[in-house]
Amino acid sequence: MEQKHDRKGCQICGKLRAKYSCPKCHIAYCSLACYRDQRHSECTESFYQAQVADELKTRQADDDVKKKMHELLQQYHQGTLEDADSDEQEGEDIAERMEGLNLDNASVDDIWKRMSEDERQEFLKLVDQGDLANVLPAWVPWWQQSDKPGVVEVGQDDYQVTATIPEISECAVPVQSLAKKVHPSVLYQIAQLALAYAYMMRHLNGDSRGKNIADAFQDLVTVSPLLSSKEADIYTNAHEALVVGLCNIDEGMPCSKKCAMLDDVLSMYLGPRYIASMVSDTHALLGTLLAMPSVDRGHLKKAHIHRAERRVFFLLCVVLQMSTETEPWEFMAAEVAMLQRRFRSEDEASKQNPNREDAAADVKVPSI
């Protein structure tokens, strides 16, 4: 049962009626401003410190992130101090406070304890504004880089996570052993899968394994329900498959965002071997999820995962069997580009006439 507290008046400002109580010290307060008051700073700092720690764990607080935290401390002082003497003095101060701290195995709490009050407040401000991503490395999709095998190098000045092109699977079998005839709509299913994969990877900031694997599966089947449904949809053209996928993400998605997502799909089609890498990585993800103990899969049903794994395996076999062909993939790239141009036209029309309803939200799918 919830403990009862005196809510007659705020124990911080003493002016307004208290609506809340601190879960740690149980003091009654009336607003967020009072909660953050200096007189309540002990609880506030521990709360936001926990938020910083949780966020960094969620976003893979690895060695690079810890180094970036240290760099941010130096950048903070360089931006706030006026003269060179002060800069030098503060630089020495940081060095003294961080002396003996091994960033390879230091925890977020270790770094936090050595930060000054101003530095802590700067971090708390970032957390409060939902801007903590500024101190974390940006993830760059592998399909947006130049076509190089293995690791794709990214400039250190931009502080971005290195992207790795997934290896192409070698476990495929001849398509004829799986089906007597391949329906032409399989190409449209692959296009929708590319959209689902791009959405999943961006949503999870490139981390689709580990504790995120269940969310990764949910993202895939949200955009492309045919993966786990008993009855697979048969699309009549590429535009239909892509528009359905976009609507599954957000029916009210603005045209500009649709164009950005189609950029990802187009990049996969324009990059040699990228479609094969995308389908291979999706199949590997599903295989990993299928092999996990049921307790680690949470609410996900094994039958749904198995069905998705079988369907993606079929798509993988199709892609690898067509790997030496160029015409089908060029055709699909042209279809994606055509739909993207349509959305851009709709976006320009809506900007010129703001009162006009967004026609792209209710696209009539043209026949190919």
Side-chain angles (χ1 to χ4, degrees), residues 316-336:
L316 176 61
C317 294
V318 171
V319 170
L320 294 184
Q321 190 159 309
M322 297 173 61
S323 60
T324 58
E325 302 180 40
T326 58
E327 187 176 349
W329 311 119
E330 290 174 353
F331 168 77
M332 290 303 300
E335 289 298 305
V336 176

Side-chain angles (χ1 to χ4, degrees), residues 93-161:
D93 178 53
I94 295 173
E96 290 177 2
R97 284 187 282 116
M98 297 296 169
E99 185 178 3
L101 186 66
N102 186 346
L103 292 176
D104 290 336
N105 47 31
S107 67
V108 173
D109 187 57
D110 292 333
I111 299 175
W112 181 267
K113 289 178 180 178
R114 302 197 184 202
M115 292 168 64
S116 69
E117 181 62 28
D118 287 342
E119 292 161 353
R120 290 181 182 180
Q121 291 302 320
E122 184 70 14
F123 268 88
L124 298 185
K125 182 180 177 181
L126 289 171
V127 175
D128 190 34
Q129 295 175 345
D131 221 9
L132 193 57
N134 288 342
V135 301
L136 297 173
W139 176 74
V140 179
W142 55 263
W143 57 85
Q144 289 189 344
Q145 307 303 319
S146 59
D147 186 34
K148 296 179 182 179
V151 175
V152 176
E153 299 297 333
V154 180
Q156 294 182 352
D157 293 339
D158 296 329
Y159 195 65
Q160 297 170 330
V161 172

